[in-house]
Every structure is written in structure tokens, then in C-alpha cells.
């Protein structure tokens, strides 16, 4: 009897958390995104999501700074 294995799905939990927190709490999203960039190998969806989380976090922090400074 042959055993057919299921394809292994990558675990992108850290990258997904980074994306969520990049909107809710930018500093936490930034930290998780940086950790995710170092954790996931290149050319994977986890690394891509981590980079997107870093970009969103930085944009949110700059936007908050500009609104607070009322430029």
C-alpha cells in the first residue's frame, strides 16, 4: 500500500502577525517584520509579507508623526 504524503504548507504565522500589527501597532509590526525577514528564506511568501509589513509600519509611523506635528 502506497502512502501519499500531503504537500507541506509553509508556516507564515509570524509574517501574518507582522502584517496585522503593522496596522494596529506599527512599532510591534516593524519588529515582527524584521524578525520575519531574518527567519524566512529568500523568495518565499513569508519573507514577502514581512517586507510588506515593514513598509506599512514605516508609512504608518511617518503618517502619525506628520499628523501629530501637523505639517
Amino acid at each position: 500500500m502506497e502512502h501519499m504524503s500531503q504537500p507541506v504548507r509553509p508556516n507564515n504565522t509570524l509574517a501574518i502577525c507582522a502584517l496585522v500589527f503593522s496596522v494596529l501597532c506599527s512599532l510591534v509590526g516593524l519588529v515582527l517584520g524584521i524578525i520575519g525577514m531574518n527567519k524566512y528564506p529568500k523568495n518565499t511568501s513569508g519573507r514577502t509579507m514581512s517586507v510588506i509589513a515593514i513598509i506599512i509600519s514605516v508609512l504608518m509611523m511617518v503618517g502619525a508623526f506628520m499628523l501629530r506635528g501637523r505639517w
Side-chain angles (χ1 to χ4, degrees), residues 1-9:
M1 179 174 213
E2 291 183 37
H3 176 64
M4 300 192 80
S5 63
Q6 296 290 328
V8 178
R9 291 182 53 193

Side-chain angles (χ1 to χ4, degrees), residues 2-3 7 10 12 20 28 30-31 35 37 41-42 46 49 53 58 63 67:
E2 291 183 37
H3 176 64
N12 295 331
V20 170
V28 175
L30 179 65
V31 171
I35 293 170
M37 270 191 56
K42 291 184 179 180
M49 285 191 282
V58 169
L67 286 175

Side-chain angles (χ1 to χ4, degrees), residues 14-26:
L14 182 65
I16 293 170
C17 288
L19 278 172
V20 170
F21 278 106
S22 67
V23 175
L24 298 177
C25 181
S26 299

Side-chain angles (χ1 to χ4, degrees), residues 11-65:
N11 185 0
N12 295 331
T13 306
L14 182 65
I16 293 170
C17 288
L19 278 172
V20 170
F21 278 106
S22 67
V23 175
L24 298 177
C25 181
S26 299
L27 185 59
V28 175
L30 179 65
V31 171
L32 291 176
I34 292 169
I35 293 170
M37 270 191 56
N38 293 322
K39 178 184 177 187
Y40 299 112
K42 291 184 179 180
N43 299 327
T44 61
S45 61
R47 187 173 177 101
T48 303
M49 285 191 282
S50 296
V51 170
I52 292 170
I54 291 171
I55 293 169
I56 292 172
S57 295
V58 169
L59 290 176
M60 295 288 282
M61 285 191 278
V62 168
F65 178 75

